[in-house]
Amino acid sequence: MQTHIAIEHFSKNFDGVEAVKNISLSVSKGELFGLIGPDGAGKTTTMRSLCTLLPVEQGELSIVGLDVRKEVRRIRSRIGYMPQRFSLYPDLSVEQNLLFFADLFGVPKQEKFQRLQELYHFSKLEPFKKRLAKQLSGGMKQKLALSCTLIHTPEVLILDEPTTGVDPVSRREFWLILKKLRDDGVTILVSTPYMDEALLCDRVAFMHKGQILALDKPDKIGRLFPYALYEISSSAPQKIQNHLQSQPSVQTVHIFGDRVHASFRESLSAEQLATIQRTAPEPIAAMRQIEPGIEDTFLELMKQVE
């Protein structure tokens, strides 16, 4: 499989602060790869460096086989980059924004109409092509920003938290678009702080404080969780969490909605389960062992780094 993005032993410092610490990863042609992590993890620094927007002092970075240090102009013609705040022109219409970016990227005149029709079709923005960008909803603005990024048919897409602040329905539609682009052969590197979006990627890398904590397919990440995990149903999850945190046998406790996830060094016997339920400060409706999810694993890996 051809490698479209390669990062080898990349580090980045800002005034003595190490933003990225010796990371390595590769993304294959036609792969949808996710960088997952909270603010300050190093995701944006990595992406901006790949896009030739930040100088690379330590490590080797390449896009479609081109060295990020030496092939700036060629790389920029073959990638599409969508930063966290994409600069649409609010007083231009949807169509005018697309035409502006087509001219900016040098799309030949005879190809403009065809590209606009293709982008209207997959983004479903054609009914709004005369509407000003400032009058679009958050989800529609993101679709327009992505369309502007795609106007020159890039081989590689680099998207920095494209769905942050977007409503759930628009987020789902946006990811359907990304999957179609992936199926059409576009290589996509996307960052997100949302764990549910990690499950939509072919592979993911967990980043925290400039380090990669794990890199694998989403359904295999849970293997890194070191304990036996139990899900507890209760009408008072906060009280259950507070109680379990004081128990020496409990390794970790986290609340997920109306459920509590508690981990133990080993699987519990029927007698141990009965004791926990009997001594809990509030009734426990159910307690069962479950497979660790991607969020359980990430929280545990973050704890180990801390």
Side-chain angles (χ1 to χ4, degrees):
M1 186 71 73
Q2 183 182 356
T3 298
H4 262 187
I5 298 174
I7 301 173
E8 297 179 9
H9 303 293
F10 171 60
S11 297
K12 184 68 178 177
N13 293 276
F14 294 102
D15 298 323
V17 176
E18 202 168 18
V20 180
K21 305 174 183 179
N22 192 32
I23 69 169
S24 297
L25 63 86
S26 63
V27 182
S28 299
K29 182 181 186 298
E31 185 175 22
L32 176 50
F33 191 101
L35 282 181
I36 316 300
D39 290 345
K43 307 187 301 296
T44 296
T45 297
T46 301
M47 290 182 150
R48 287 175 61 83
S49 299
L50 276 170
C51 294
T52 73
L53 299 174
L54 291 174
V56 177
E57 295 94 10
Q58 293 178 270
E60 302 296 328
L61 279 71
S62 66
I63 302 275
V64 292
L66 302 172
D67 190 317
V68 166
R69 287 191 181 96
K70 302 174 183 176
E71 305 279 3
V72 173
R73 187 179 296 274
R74 293 178 67 190
I75 285 174
R76 290 182 179 179
S77 70
R78 298 176 72 173
I79 66 171
Y81 172 53
M82 185 173 158
Q84 290 179 12
R85 294 185 178 181
F86 191 90
S87 298
L88 294 171
Y89 289 87
D91 293 321
L92 296 183
S93 67
V94 168
E95 184 176 56
Q96 289 168 332
N97 267 284
L98 286 167
L99 289 171
F100 173 81
F101 281 96
D103 290 339
L104 188 67
F105 284 111
V107 177
K109 187 175 182 179
Q110 62 273 21
E111 293 180 19
K112 283 183 188 178
F113 178 77
Q114 180 184 347
R115 286 300 295 150
L116 259 64
Q117 295 310 306
E118 291 171 351
L119 292 169
Y120 284 149
H121 177 72
F122 97 88
S123 67
K124 298 182 173 60
L125 285 175
E126 186 165 19
F128 312 98
K129 64 183 182 181
K130 299 301 182 183
R131 184 176 295 184
L132 298 182
K134 65 183 178 184
Q135 296 173 340
L136 299 175
S137 68
M140 290 171 68
K141 284 179 180 176
Q142 292 302 82
K143 288 180 185 178
L144 176 56
L146 179 61
S147 297
C148 291
T149 304
L150 291 167
I151 193 70
H152 63 303
T153 321
E155 299 169 65
V156 176
L157 266 183
I158 298 178
L159 312 174
D160 194 359
E161 298 193 3
T163 60
T164 299
V166 176
D167 66 271
V169 173
S170 295
R171 279 175 58 197
R172 189 159 56 249
E173 292 176 348
F174 195 92
W175 276 88
L176 288 173
I177 290 171
L178 293 190
K179 287 198 167 188
K180 184 181 185 307
L181 289 168
R182 185 271 315 274
D183 293 343
D184 289 341
V186 179
T187 304
I188 303 172
L189 177 65
V190 58
S191 69
T192 176
Y194 300 124
M195 291 296 151
D196 60 325
E197 293 187 345
L199 297 170
L200 303 175
C201 300
D202 298 319
R203 287 190 303 143
V204 296
F206 283 168
M207 288 194 72
H208 181 56
K209 293 190 173 181
Q211 302 177 66
I212 291 180
L213 306 186
L215 195 164
D216 212 329
K217 294 181 179 180
D219 60 352
K220 294 183 178 179
I221 290 288
R223 299 175 184 178
L224 299 174
F225 194 82
Y227 307 120
L229 186 66
Y230 287 80
E231 182 180 76
I232 301 167
S233 302
S234 172
S235 60
Q238 188 66 60
K239 289 184 178 180
I240 297 296
Q241 181 191 43
N242 294 340
H243 170 68
L244 290 175
Q245 284 175 331
S246 67
Q247 305 301 307
S249 61
V250 178
Q251 302 299 311
T252 60
V253 191
H254 297 289
I255 294 177
F256 291 85
D258 61 347
R259 307 295 172 93
V260 177
H261 286 193
S263 66
F264 300 80
R265 196 165 294 281
E266 297 177 347
S267 296
L268 302 176
S269 65
E271 182 180 349
Q272 288 171 315
L273 284 171
T275 299
I276 290 172
Q277 291 181 291
R278 187 178 67 252
T279 58
E282 296 288 337
I284 289 177
M287 183 172 178
R288 64 187 183 93
Q289 188 168 2
I290 61 171
E291 291 296 321
I294 198 165
E295 192 163 0
D296 297 299
T297 307
F298 188 42
L299 289 170
E300 175 59 27
L301 294 173
M302 286 176 61
K303 177 187 170 187
Q304 291 178 9
V305 170
E306 297 294 344

